[in-house]
Every structure is written in structure tokens, then in C-alpha cells.
Amino acid sequence: MGIVAGLDSAPDFTRIVVCDSDTGAVLRQGYAPHPVESPNGGRPSDVDPQAWLLSLGEAAGGGLLEGVQAIGVSAQQNAVVPLDAQGGTVRPAMVGGDKRTQVAAADLVDALGGREAWAQAVGCVPQAAQPVTKLRWLARTEPENAQRTAILLQAHDWLVWQLLGRPVRRTTDRGGASGTGYWSAATGAYRPDLVELALGHQVMLPEVIGPADAAGRTPEGLLISVGTGETMAAAFGLGIGLGDAVVSLGASGSVMAVHPEALVDGSGMITALADATGMHLPVVTTLNAVRTLRGTAELLGLPDLESLSDLAMKSTPGSHGLVLLPYLEGERTPNLPHTAGTLAGLRRESMKPEHLARAAFEGMLCGLADALDVLRGRGVEVRRVFLLGPAAELPAVQAAAPSLFGTQVVVPQPADYAAIGAARQAAWALGASQGTLDARMPPAWQGAVAQVLEPGEELAVGQAVRQQFVSVREQTHPGALRP
């Protein structure tokens, strides 16, 4: 078929991979940071979208895209670009999570009649980062800009539209739409009434097209696929399918899994996203993952996480009875927004640095195992867990994760999975347009190169450690995770 490109416009940079469209082998790569100037006094939550185009052009320099037949676009989620009726930007794009929108999120929950009402409507309860919440903030804080807003696009929608030469037709995909807070993965339809509830009036929304559909062709004839959000693109690049879950270790943590149907969860713990293939991608997040490790390293006077891992390996499973509930920033799973962390099981023999170090790793992983169990409790099959993030390479994480999760753990080699997923989508759209690929079946690319870890004989020990954690959680926060 030829060669395709995937570009990932992350919060800080653009990365481009050029791939063989049959095998997925990466042939060339490009990278450029976004320009650093921020509008509006440098607020990090406001970004001129032209910065995305500038870094895209720089990353694609030196003939990187020569011979490419199709491009897929992945971009940061939760970015909303408000446009006026002529397609000009009303204000800088609103990106990322932002404390200033927390009040707007609470307002919206109340305005529709509570968390359950939102879960039934669109499969998620408004959070500070979501586009629907940013619209409410805009209406309350910048009413003139809200009134001028006539069209809403997300970051990948806007980039696709720019690459196509700003056509009249604007498109998006199920994955991106499912994170907005005004499109339902269960029904596959927008809820314009929720846009009006948030913004105060109706606007034009991009057409949601299929996973293998092309958004169009550039003036030069280059095919552009529909694009998607970074989470969906990374899952597609990893090649996960039914039975697979992905645990992502950032400052906060997230657990997502492929499932054939949308999950409605009135507690708000599950966000019902769609994926980039036509399936669903329920996500459960925890507020405390690697920040738990960093906090413990600082407390113990250690310079980095590698040192914390080395120290933890001197302890044994169960940390001599020491249990850390890692709710340092409050917690979302379980829903304990105003709580703090708890250290339990202090005895003279457990009061050693290595046991606290081990308890930090076990507490973080048990918190993520709780999130996995939320999905399992709703019938999501989990046969293996992909573990992502730099902390996944730490020996203390790899030693404990398989037995605490109770399943095989796969640690993929670091790679640009979101960009690779975008390229795979481009190959799918190209093949479907040429009649060489089924629009219902994505191209079979090589899977991620990975290390596979089995729980093996440690399974019973890990489950005992897990039970120790659950007992302390139940004593401290009774019923917090009961359905």
C-alpha cells in the first residue's frame, strides 16, 4: 500500500512517525516542541492553536512526509477551540485540567439534576478538564466570547480541518466526541441541550464519522483520516483488544479496558469513552499514582524514584504489615475528594525506611487494582494488563504488579504509541478508500515490543497483600468502594 504518517500533538510538542502501511514498521520520525509563548499572561490553560500548527510544520521539516499517502492526527484531549461564525478563533484554546473550572463542573452537575443524570445522558459526570465544563466557565466568566462562539472543535478536529484547507465540512471521531461531555457513547449521538445548558446557546458541532472514514483530502490530494484523542490513539497504537486493560502511571493514574458496550455508572467513577475502532473504552482514574512515590522519596530524603525502588526491594511483600492508603490529593476512586492519605500498621519492627518505601509501591498499585476491580465488577474481562509510563520500568513496580493485579502484566518498550495509532488509523482509512481493507477491520500491525511478567507462584502472596490493603481501606473509609 505504501507509507503513511501519524502525528501526535501533545500538550507540549508535536511528534510525527512515518510508517510502512502494511506492517507498521516506523521508517522516519520528527519532533518539535510547541512555541513557548502563552497568551493571556501566560496561563498554561490557554493556548493559541496556531502554536500546534507551527510545531507541526517544524516537526515535518526536512522532507519527512515525502511519499506519504495518508496522515492520521492524534491530539491532546479536553482541549476545546471556540470559533466564530467565520471560523476564526474567538479566544485561545482552553486545554488541560484547570482548577478555575471546578466550580463550573459542580454547577453543571447540579443543573442537570445530579451525577446519575449525567451518567445516563452521556456516560460521564462533568470534570474540571472536560470541554462541557469549560463552556460553562466561558459563559460565566467571558460572556461576550461565549456569545460569539458559533462552532466548537477539539484539538484534533481543528488540526484535521486546517490540514484540509478549512473546508465547510468539519468532522470528528467517536473517541474524541466521547470525552466532550455532550456526546453519548451509548447512543452515538450529540446532546445539543447540554451544550446549551453549559454555554447558553446552540452551536455547530463537527460531524462524527466512522473509525475507517477519511475526513477528506488536502488540496495536494493527501488523504487525512478522521483523527482521534491521544488516549484512543495510544490504545490503537498498542494494539489492545478485548481482554486487555491499560494501566497508565502518571502523577495520577488511569485504568482503561476494551469493552463491547458503553458502561453507564451513576457514581461517576467510570467514564464511558469510545475507542478508535468502533468498540468502547471505559476509563477509571485515580488521583494518586507516581505522586505517591515522589512524596515518599522526598519524605525519606531520596533523590529519585530509582533509589526508592532499590530501597523497597530490600523489604518483603506486605511491607511488614505497613499499609499506605495513598490518597494524598484526595481521591476519585474511591470518591473521597477531601480525604488525606493514611499510614497504618505501624509497629516497632515495621518502622524502617525500606518498609515505608515498599508500602508506597504497594499502596499505589493496590489503588490502581481497586480501579481495575471497578471495571471487573461491571463485567469487563481483564486477561492481561499493559503497564505504561516511565515508572513501569522500576523493579519494585514490576515485582509487585502481576500478583497485586492478579493477571499477566505487559510492559511495552517506550515508543510514540499515540503517533503510531494515528498512523495506523491513516493506513486503515487509506486501505478502506482503495478497497484493499475492510472498513470494519483495522490493519494488522506488529504488536508492541514488550516484557511479559506473570504472577506465577507470587499470586497468593500478592492477593494477601491486597486483602491487607482492602481491610485498612474499609476500616478507614467504610463502604467507599461498594457498588
Side-chain angles (χ1 to χ4, degrees), residues 110-389:
D110 292 342
L112 195 64
R115 301 167 75 86
E116 179 70 38
W118 277 96
Q120 293 293 336
V122 287
C124 60
V125 178
Q127 303 293 331
Q130 280 184 300
V132 71
T133 301
K134 289 168 178 158
L135 298 183
R136 179 72 155 201
W137 179 88
L138 192 64
R140 293 283 188 270
T141 314
E142 301 177 6
E144 289 183 8
N145 285 337
Q147 201 55 47
R148 287 176 55 217
T149 299
I151 304 158
L152 291 176
L153 297 179
Q154 292 186 86
H156 75 84
D157 309 334
W158 187 85
L159 283 164
V160 165
W161 184 57
Q162 295 291 330
L163 290 172
L164 292 173
R166 298 164 59 103
V168 172
R169 183 192 190 213
R170 300 171 189 89
T171 60
T172 193
D173 84 308
R174 298 167 63 254
S178 66
T180 59
Y182 45 81
W183 185 88
S184 166
T187 64
Y190 280 118
R191 288 288 302 264
D193 58 313
L194 299 182
V195 176
E196 187 166 355
L197 179 71
L199 190 63
H201 61 92
Q202 295 287 346
V203 295
M204 286 184 64
L205 299 169
E207 177 188 348
V208 180
I209 62 176
D213 291 344
R217 289 185 180 272
T218 67
E220 298 77 33
L222 193 63
L223 184 139
I224 308 292
S225 63
V226 58
T228 195
E230 270 189 323
T231 297
M232 300 79 190
F236 198 40
L238 280 167
I240 68 168
L242 287 172
D244 292 335
V246 176
V247 173
S248 183
L249 300 176
S252 55
S254 68
V255 177
M256 62 182 176
V258 180
H259 197 57
E261 58 191 35
L263 297 178
V264 172
D265 174 51
S267 74
M269 283 193 288
I270 298 175
T271 299
L273 299 179
D275 78 349
T277 72
M279 301 284 277
H280 293 270
L281 204 61
V283 178
V284 180
T285 57
T286 68
L287 295 182
N288 301 279
V290 176
R291 63 165 44 101
T292 304
L293 305 182
R294 294 202 185 284
T296 307
E298 287 173 17
L299 181 65
L300 292 172
L302 299 173
D304 50 40
L305 297 187
E306 288 74 18
S307 303
L308 185 71
S309 174
D310 292 344
L311 184 61
M313 295 298 282
K314 294 176 182 174
S315 181
T316 53
S319 311
H320 275 247
L322 213 54
V323 175
L324 177 63
L325 299 183
Y327 308 150
L328 309 184
E329 299 279 329
E331 190 46 85
R332 188 170 161 192
T333 307
N335 184 31
L336 299 166
H338 306 300
T339 195
T342 302
L343 186 62
L346 284 168
R347 297 179 186 275
R348 181 64 192 88
E349 63 270 20
S350 66
M351 295 177 74
K352 293 183 178 177
E354 61 265 32
H355 302 325
L356 177 56
R358 177 95 189 191
F361 283 95
E362 290 178 345
M364 175 188 77
L365 292 168
C366 284
L368 290 160
D370 280 349
L372 265 175
D373 282 352
V374 170
L375 293 178
R376 285 175 169 137
R378 294 297 306 277
V380 177
E381 186 180 13
V382 178
R383 289 196 302 270
R384 60 177 178 170
V385 168
F386 284 74
L387 201 54
L388 300 186

